[in-house]
Amino acid sequence: MEPRSCGACTLCCRLPEIDQLSKPANMLCVNCVTDQGCRIYDDRPELCRDFLCSWMTDHDLGPEWEPTVAKMMVYGQGDQLTVLVDPDHPQAWRQEPYANQLTAWATEAAGRGGYVIVFVGDDVYKVAPVNS
């Protein structure tokens, strides 16, 4: 399997809040050069070093899940699957193929006590699982 790369994606430098850098959510990090990446890459905080979105780690995700295509970034946190949606594309997570996949993930997660949470700007949504 060929390793994936971030390419021109910088959503992880924009969407999450990063306390260590005093960076609020949904604002580009001051150390990020759009479409290029981190200016302080070799000296970036450990939190940034350790982070990889699911696109980078889950090779079962198809090309539609590449963050710049999907307009969202997905990653796991324990029993929670977190989805950070680009606020410039707030409906992306409600469109296909994403909506069905998020519901499937929510249904699978619910079976083990987990859930899928979606952040769009200041709004937070919990994806409802399908009851079987």
Side-chain angles (χ1 to χ4, degrees), residues 29-110:
C29 177
V30 297
N31 298 301
C32 181
V33 178
T34 304
D35 297 332
Q36 291 180 23
C38 185
R39 257 191 288 256
I40 62 166
Y41 188 81
D42 291 335
D43 297 318
R44 68 197 186 282
E46 192 164 333
L47 176 72
C48 298
R49 281 179 196 280
D50 293 343
F51 180 79
L52 288 174
C53 72
S54 294
W55 165 253
M56 295 293 289
T57 61
D58 184 350
H59 288 277
D60 290 335
L61 293 180
E64 69 277 8
W65 284 97
E66 193 274 318
T68 59
V69 174
K71 308 301 183 201
M72 66 186 98
M73 185 176 81
V74 178
Y75 60 97
Q77 293 180 293
D79 290 333
Q80 174 180 315
L81 185 69
T82 301
V83 180
L84 302 181
V85 178
D86 183 339
D88 294 340
H89 303 275
Q91 296 301 313
W93 70 284
R94 296 180 185 270
Q95 298 170 358
E96 294 307 334
Y98 311 111
N100 276 338
Q101 184 61 65
L102 292 172
T103 299
W105 286 336
T107 303
E108 178 188 336

